[in-house]
Each structure stands twice: as C-alpha cells, then as structure tokens.
C-alpha cells in the first residue's frame, strides 16, 4: 500500500489514454474524407461565461451614451489631452524613472513631484491649469504597484493594480527612445460595457490624430481582465508583413475600481468595485 | 514587606528585566520602572495619571481602602485646560510626598503632548496599510502569467496593424500594390531594365521630400539596407528593388539589420534608428533566389 499504488494507477491511466488516442487517430485516417471534423480545443476564452453587458457594435444605446459621456469632447476634438503624472509620497528611484519613461511615451505629459500634497487639493489646481488627465503612480517597497487614472474635468477615476513593470533598459531590444510623435493606439478585447468605458479612458490620454510618420504604437491589450501595455515601433516590410520592435516601458494593469467623479475615496460614487468574494469565484467569468 | 517579597527577591509578574534596567508592566505604575518608590503594589499611598479616549484621569490609592480591592483606586477627571489640570493635581495630592506629585505632573505633561500630536496627525493625510494576502497574490500572479501567454501580444499587434493597413487608415504613405499586380510587373521589369535605370537616377533627387515606402519585394529580399529611396510610379519600384538587391548582396549581410531614418531629407542629421526584425527568411525567397 502507500504511494506506489497511486503511481501505478496513474501510469496505467496514462497508457490507456495514449492507446485511446492512437486508436482514434487510426480510425480517423481510415475514414479519410468522411472523418468528422476535428474538435476545437476548449480554451478559457472559448468557455468564457457570457457577459450580458457585452457591447454589440451596432448598439444604439451604447453609441448614444458614448456621444454624451465625459469623453465626448475629446472624441469630438474639442479638447487636447494634457496629462499630469505624479507619484505617492517620497518616490524611490525606480518609480521616478518609470514616471519619466511614461511621460516620454505619452505626448504632452508632465511629471510633478508630490511633496505630501493632498489629492483633493491639487485637483482643482489641475483643472485651473487646463489639465485633462491625472495619473498617480502608487509605490510600495520601492516598486510601483498601483495606478490611479483620473479624467479631470469631473471625469471618471479608475484605480488599477500595476504589476510586472519593466523599464526600458530591462526590455531586450536594441532600439532607441520613443520620439515626440503622437503614437497610434490599439485597444484589444475590451468587450463589455465596463471594458468599453475603460478603453475610452485610455484612448483619451493620447492625441486624437496619430502621426503616422512616427510609426509608434501603444497597445492596451485586455486578456482575462489583465490589461497589458506595450509600446512598439512598427515598420511595414511588405503588404503582408510587419515588423515590430519594442521600445518603451511595459506593465500590466488590473482594474480595481471605477468611480464616477474625480478621485474621492470617501464620498465618491463607485461605478464598479472588484469584490473578491463574488467576482473571483468562477474561473471563466471576466468583467472587462 | 511587600517589596521585600516581590520586588527585590522573589518573583513579580509585572517585572521585566533587561540588561540595564528593570521595568514594571503594571498599568498603574507612574514611571514605568521597577523601583521601591514607584511600585504600585509596594506603596500603600500611590497616585497615577492615566488617559482614556483623550481625557486624563488622576488615580489615587489610599491605605484606608487597602482591604477593598474594588474601591482601591479613586478616579478624578482632570480638566482639559492644561494649567487648570495641574492645579487640580496639586489640590488632590496636597500633603502627598513630593516625589509622587512631581512625577504625576510630569506624566500628565507627556500625555497631553502626545494627545496633541495625535490630533494633529489625524488632520493630515494618513497612509493606510492594507495587508496583502499571500494566497491571493500568488493566484493573481499565476493568472497574469497565463493570461500573458494566452494573449500572444506580438501576433495580435501585428494583425491589428495589418488590418489597419488594409483598411487604408494610413492613406497614401505606404505604397503597396496588390500581389497580382506585382507579379505582372515583374515580367515587365525584365524587359525595361536598361531604360529605367537611367531614369531612376534623375527621379531620385526630385522625390527626396516625399516619403513613401517602397515595397521590398519579399521574393527577393528578407533583409534590406536602405528604405529611403522614394518612388512614385510602380515601374521604378522594380528598379529600386534591383538596386537595393545589388547593394544587399555586395554588403553581404547575414543578420537582419535595417537602418531607417525617420524623415527623408534630414536623414543625415537625425539619428539613425536601428530596427532588428525577429523573423526568419521565408522559404519562398530562397527558392526564387536560387
């Protein structure tokens, strides 16, 4: 008795499985053309629980919402994005460098030091100086681990947890720095209503007209509720081939909460909070 | 007697000994040290200051109440005003030993000072420490890795860019004719080779300011050197490829490294951007070249 029984049983199972597989393959070849089509392997994306808030491209209601929400002035080209990047108190070297790199990636952005100022007080000042967006990078144990993105004239505030931050020198490539051209923006996989609004938030950070001369692209790719940010330079080698080279920092975000107004931890009206008990139970259910 | 028993010789559960000093853990202790004069157990006449919820109280122990432990400590609320409170202490502890009075006042002073500090700090922004949960952290990390693998970012980005190219979002910058057209041209090119070469030399200087990318025919080249030659007509394209091909063969590059400036005319002054492609040479190219 003991552990050997289990091992033996396991080995037997494996052998049986292999045999079954071989048999199936033989049958398939024997049938030739009449064989049934191959089954599609199940992936998490295939098995994803259908979210009722998925946005249909032709949805009128959504289109109307988007025409009248806080980003409408941006998408109508009435406002030019101007970003303020700051950190929490006493940023360490890594965070500071990350902020600098982020400001080179996003055109028309400025980095300011926090120096113990309360967010509630700097927000009116920002609005007075015509900033459209505020980014606060939260730091813990010398690495950045949180991001608060707030659209300023009374826009929504999104709070993310940031992970796996790679600075430019840690990425394996041999390119130069991003230039001043406005990059293109790619938003992938933002399907639900919530994902849509978050995607629009990201899009509103960048100038509306990308300069194709620069050949730079910033990508926000959502996969299973994790948003991966990458910054590349692309070049079309032919009609069907494109080469990309990664420059610029990379990081991943996970949405924690979305607030209706500007940043206010006590009295804000939360549109969406990540509730661990309810939302993390199913492995096939995603919200973005 | 008590002191002989507990304090110095035998065991006192409130006593903590360290290398240099003895401390007393008793909550009614006035100074916090374990001394004959500051032990609340050994002295039958004792007083302390303790604070509760921001208010200070004066606790007094009298010898008459020694047999009644419940009524042993008498409590007096001190006023919020600092000076008044000091007077109250003096009133209550009149005729008491000087040591107790002095230490009480000192303790009261210290307590009020730290209460003031607490009130000042709560007005500022405070950092809230939220404990992480290890299991959740690990779970999130693992899920993120798997999501990254499932995402296949490079492929997705390339696909998206090609889609955009197809849908003509880039307009006229890139000049890629469709493949069939391309093949037809190749046959033409073989005939008009010698004539176009001379033409091409003149064209080169004129079109410096327009920027267009010439299709590097993937049948011929997988790595190429100069993408800054500018052509408008497609006929010259073929010429361009030929010339580039010659250069490539002369230079004999084995690694795929291409240099492309950002803007055409200012290419000397601007820094070069080296682009490295991570792709293999297509099998088609090999067969055609051979």
């Amino acid at each position: 008795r003991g552990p050997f029984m289990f091992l033996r049983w396991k080995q037997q199972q494996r052998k049986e499985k292999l045999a079954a597989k071989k048999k199936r393959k033989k049958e398939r070849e024997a049938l030739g053309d009449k064989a049934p089509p191959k089954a599609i392997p199940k992936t998490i994306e295939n098995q994803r629980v259908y979210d009722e808030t998925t946005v249909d491209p032709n949805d009128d209601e959504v289109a109307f919402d988007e025409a009248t929400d806080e980003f409408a002035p941006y998408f109508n080209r009435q406002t030019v994005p101007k970003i303020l990047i700051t950190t929490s108190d006493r940023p360490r070297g890594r965070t500071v460098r990350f902020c600098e790199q982020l400001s080179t990636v996003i055109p028309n952005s400025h980095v300011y030091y926090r120096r113990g100022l309360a967010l509630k007080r700097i927000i009116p000042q920002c609005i007075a100086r015509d900033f459209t967006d505020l980014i606060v990078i939260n730091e813990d144990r010398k690495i950045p681990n949180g991001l608060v993105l707030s659209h300023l004239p009374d826009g929504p505030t999104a709070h993310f947890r940031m992970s796996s931050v790679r600075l430019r020198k840690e990425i394996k490539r041999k390119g130069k720095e991003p230039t001043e051209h406005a990059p293109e923006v790619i938003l992938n996989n933002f399907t639900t209503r919530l994902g849509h609004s978050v995607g629009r938030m990201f899009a509103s950070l960048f100038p509306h007209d990308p300069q194709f001369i620069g050949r730079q692209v910033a990508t926000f790719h959502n996969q299973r509720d994790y948003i991966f940010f990458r910054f590349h330079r692309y070049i079309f080698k032919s009609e069907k081939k494109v080469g990309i080279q990664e420059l610029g920092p990379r990081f991943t975000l996970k949405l924690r909460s979305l607030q209706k107004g500007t940043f206010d931890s006590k009295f804000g009206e939360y549109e969406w909070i990540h509730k661990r008990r309810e939302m993390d139970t199913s492995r096939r259910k995603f919200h973005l | 007697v008590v002191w002989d028993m507990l304090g110095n010789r035998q065991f006192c559960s409130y006593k903590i000994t360290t290398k240099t000093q003895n401390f007393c853990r008793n909550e009614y202790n006035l100074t916090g040290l374990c001394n004959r004069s500051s032990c609340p157990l050994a002295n039958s006449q004792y007083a302390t200051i303790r604070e509760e919820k921001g208010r200070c109280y004066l606790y007094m122990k009298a010898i008459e109440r020694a047999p009644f432990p419940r009524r042993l400590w008498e409590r007096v609320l001190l006023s919020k005003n600092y000076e008044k409170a000091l007077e109250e202490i003096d009133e209550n502890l009149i005729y008491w030993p000087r040591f107790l009075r002095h230490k009480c006042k000192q303790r009261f002073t210290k307590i009020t000072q730290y209460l003031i500090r607490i009130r000042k700090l709560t007005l500022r922004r405070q950092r809230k420490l939220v404990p992480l949960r290890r299991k959740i952290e690990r779970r999130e990390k693992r899920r993120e890795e798997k999501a990254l693998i499932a995402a296949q970012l490079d492929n997705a980005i390339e696909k998206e860019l090609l889609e955009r190219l197809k849908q003509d979002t880039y307009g006229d910058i890139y000049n890629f004719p469709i493949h069939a057209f391309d093949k037809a041209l190749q046959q033409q090119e073989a005939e008009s080779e010698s004539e176009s070469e001379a033409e091409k030399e003149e064209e080169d200087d004129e079109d410096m300011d327009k920027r267009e990318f010439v299709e590097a025919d993937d049948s011929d080249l997988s790595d190429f050197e100069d993408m800054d030659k500018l052509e408008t007509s497609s006929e010259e394209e073929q010429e361009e490829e030929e010339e580039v091909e010659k250069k490539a063969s002369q230079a004999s590059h084995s690694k795929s490294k291409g240099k492309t400036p950002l803007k055409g005319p200012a290419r000397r002054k601007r820094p070069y951007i080296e682009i490295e492609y991570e792709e293999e040479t297509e099998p088609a190219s090999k067969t055609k070249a051979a």
Side-chain angles (χ1 to χ4, degrees):
Chain A
R1 282 263 160 153
F4 302 112
M5 289 274 289
F6 178 71
L7 289 174
R8 216 169 296 159
W9 176 78
K10 243 324 199 218
Q11 275 178 351
Q12 227 174 352
Q13 294 287 89
R14 259 182 255 154
K15 251 191 262 176
E16 285 171 19
K17 194 172 171 190
L18 208 56
K21 226 181 175 176
K22 276 200 179 152
K23 213 173 104 181
R24 252 185 290 142
K25 199 171 177 197
K26 267 204 192 139
E27 282 176 17
R28 181 185 212 88
E29 284 170 14
L31 285 177
D33 280 331
K34 287 181 273 178
K38 243 184 176 173
I40 312 170
K42 299 187 207 170
T43 64
I44 293 187
E45 280 76 28
N46 285 350
Q47 311 291 79
R48 176 176 172 172
V49 166
Y50 176 68
D51 200 338
E52 59 209 7
T53 62
T54 310
V55 171
D56 189 26
N58 308 328
D59 204 343
D60 286 331
E61 194 186 314
V62 171
F64 176 70
D65 269 339
E66 298 192 347
T68 53
D69 77 350
E70 293 104 353
F71 298 110
Y74 165 77
F75 282 104
N76 295 340
R77 288 155 206 262
Q78 286 163 1
T79 56
V80 173
K82 189 173 172 196
I83 323 280
L84 176 68
I85 304 182
T86 183
T87 64
S88 51
D89 284 341
R90 305 234 171 174
R92 308 293 295 184
R94 214 183 139 87
T95 315
V96 170
R97 266 175 279 149
F98 177 66
C99 280
E100 288 169 23
Q101 293 186 1
L102 202 60
S103 74
T104 56
V105 162
I106 306 178
N108 203 5
S109 61
H110 307 269
V111 181
Y112 284 103
Y113 280 128
R114 188 70 171 282
R115 286 169 122 286
L117 299 167
L119 274 181
K120 273 194 272 191
R121 275 195 217 132
I122 68 174
I123 283 181
Q125 283 191 19
C126 283
I127 300 180
R129 293 190 202 182
D130 252 353
F131 279 99
T132 56
D133 287 279
L134 173 70
I135 299 182
V136 183
I137 297 186
N138 197 321
E139 187 196 342
D140 175 55
R141 291 216 197 139
K142 307 182 195 173
I143 47 164
N145 75 340
L147 184 96
V148 175
L149 170 60
S150 173
H151 191 71
L152 271 186
D154 198 39
T157 311
H159 178 33
F160 299 92
R161 186 217 306 258
M162 183 155 52
S163 47
S164 70
V165 174
R166 301 279 173 266
L167 298 179
R168 216 177 272 141
K169 62 177 180 176
E170 292 161 7
I171 303 180
K172 295 178 191 157
R173 87 278 177 276
K174 290 189 182 77
K176 303 260 175 151
E177 306 173 349
T179 59
E180 289 289 319
H181 296 103
E184 282 183 59
V185 180
I186 293 183
L187 299 165
N188 265 346
N189 267 352
F190 287 96
T191 48
T192 64
R193 192 77 189 76
L194 179 67
H196 225 64
S197 38
V198 171
R200 280 161 68 79
M201 266 191 101
F202 286 130
S204 72
L205 290 177
F206 295 93
H208 208 269
D209 306 304
Q211 292 165 302
F212 297 124
I213 311 179
R215 280 187 293 127
Q216 295 174 140
V217 58
T219 310
F220 292 89
H221 181 105
N222 171 38
Q223 184 86 12
R224 303 183 195 175
D225 278 357
Y226 288 95
I227 303 176
F228 298 101
F229 172 82
R230 300 284 186 272
F231 194 74
H232 293 277
R233 175 166 276 130
Y234 64 88
I235 185 164
F236 283 108
K237 277 182 268 170
S238 80
E239 193 183 284
K240 306 258 169 99
K241 279 214 132 212
V242 58
I244 55 175
Q245 178 197 27
E246 181 158 10
L247 27 131
R250 70 158 81 157
F251 51 90
T252 59
L253 300 170
K254 186 160 198 277
L255 181 70
R256 278 220 274 213
S257 67
L258 185 66
Q259 261 182 5
K260 258 266 126 78
T262 56
F263 182 76
D264 202 331
S265 45
K266 287 187 225 165
F267 306 113
E269 177 195 335
Y270 279 97
E271 208 177 300
W272 187 83
I273 314 181
H274 177 75
K275 296 189 194 122
R276 186 171 56 85
R277 281 277 158 98
E278 303 169 11
M279 297 180 181
D280 263 356
T281 46
S282 159
R283 290 188 210 193
R284 306 279 181 263
K285 186 165 160 59
F286 306 111
H287 311 280
L288 268 188
Chain B
V1 174
V2 176
W3 180 251
D4 279 335
M5 293 275 89
L6 291 180
N8 258 345
R9 291 210 258 125
Q10 287 194 357
F11 182 74
C12 169
S13 73
Y14 295 108
K15 180 171 172 188
I16 302 179
T17 61
T18 45
K19 257 192 243 175
T20 46
Q21 247 187 0
N22 294 336
F23 292 107
C24 183
R25 257 195 313 142
N26 196 329
E27 39 212 42
Y28 288 103
N29 190 310
L30 190 56
T31 55
L33 314 170
C34 190
N35 289 330
R36 176 69 181 83
S37 48
S38 26
C39 186
L41 306 171
N43 295 320
S44 35
Q45 198 188 37
Y46 201 73
T48 329
I49 307 280
R50 279 174 70 187
E51 62 95 24
E52 246 169 74
K53 296 187 193 157
R55 301 304 309 272
C56 297
Y57 296 93
L58 170 65
Y59 283 78
M60 288 180 290
K61 171 175 158 178
I63 196 171
E64 296 95 22
R65 299 196 297 266
F68 309 112
R70 220 166 19 116
R71 296 177 237 159
L72 188 56
W73 289 97
E74 182 190 336
R75 183 162 99 162
V76 173
L77 176 65
L78 300 171
S79 92
K80 274 197 179 170
N81 189 345
Y82 181 67
E83 280 118 38
K84 259 201 187 165
L86 284 181
E87 283 170 10
E88 282 177 14
I89 294 179
D90 265 332
E91 268 176 53
N92 278 314
L93 298 184
I94 201 168
Y95 306 131
W96 281 51
R98 246 179 304 153
F99 174 77
L100 285 175
R101 255 183 289 155
H102 187 59
K103 287 295 177 182
C104 272
K105 283 189 243 174
Q106 276 190 335
R107 196 184 164 93
F108 174 70
T109 314
K110 196 154 245 163
I111 289 180
T112 45
Q113 283 174 348
Y114 82 60
L115 285 176
I116 291 172
R117 237 167 112 220
I118 290 177
R119 274 178 257 144
K120 240 193 255 178
L121 282 180
T122 51
L123 288 179
R124 289 178 168 211
R125 296 164 344 109
Q126 279 188 337
R127 248 188 244 212
K128 190 167 162 202
L129 291 176
V130 174
L132 293 177
R133 309 251 177 123
R134 214 174 303 169
K135 183 172 171 188
I136 296 178
E137 284 289 299
R138 272 191 283 149
R139 207 206 307 172
E140 301 270 304
K141 212 166 145 204
R142 209 166 38 227
R143 287 201 184 158
E144 190 188 317
E145 286 166 2
K146 297 203 174 168
L148 183 63
I149 296 174
Q152 294 178 347
L153 287 167
D154 290 338
N155 291 353
I157 299 178
E158 289 176 8
K159 244 201 300 186
E160 177 72 29
L161 289 170
L162 287 170
E163 273 287 319
R164 289 190 185 181
L165 183 68
K166 261 197 216 151
Q167 288 174 359
D168 221 14
T169 43
Y170 299 132
D172 281 335
I173 312 179
Y174 303 106
N175 198 6
F176 294 138
I178 43 179
H179 244 64
F181 187 35
D182 185 25
K183 294 257 168 75
L185 282 175
Q186 270 199 315
Q187 292 157 10
Q188 247 193 14
E189 166 225 4
E191 307 163 36
S192 59
E193 194 178 341
S194 49
E195 300 168 33
S196 325
E197 247 195 32
E199 263 183 294
K200 192 220 158 264
E201 302 278 339
E202 300 163 27
E203 280 282 335
D204 216 17
D205 300 315
E206 279 178 52
D207 297 335
M208 270 315 188
D209 32 350
K210 288 192 237 155
R211 277 189 74 256
E212 281 180 340
F213 282 108
V214 178
E215 177 193 47
D217 190 8
D218 47 355
S219 58
D220 285 334
L221 310 156
S222 56
D223 43 350
F224 49 91
E225 249 195 339
D226 283 300
M227 287 250 307
D228 51 351
K229 302 288 183 2
L230 310 159
E231 307 288 351
T232 40
S233 64
S234 45
E235 285 178 305
E236 258 116 21
E237 252 178 71
Q238 299 300 322
E239 271 323 303
E240 162 57 23
E241 286 155 29
E242 266 213 344
E243 212 188 274
V244 180
E245 183 189 1
K246 285 184 207 159
K247 274 195 177 175
S249 54
Q250 288 166 12
S252 69
H253 275 269
S254 53
K255 22 177 189 158
S256 46
K257 215 169 193 185
K259 287 187 182 176
T260 311
L262 269 186
K263 284 192 178 150
R267 63 172 171 225
R268 298 273 139 63
K269 302 162 194 166
R270 287 295 199 94
Y272 274 22
I273 295 174
E274 298 168 35
I275 303 187
E276 188 176 289
Y277 308 110
E278 356 160 12
E279 56 163 50
E280 313 128 36
T281 55
E282 311 118 60
S285 69
K286 286 190 186 156
T287 52
K288 267 204 176 164

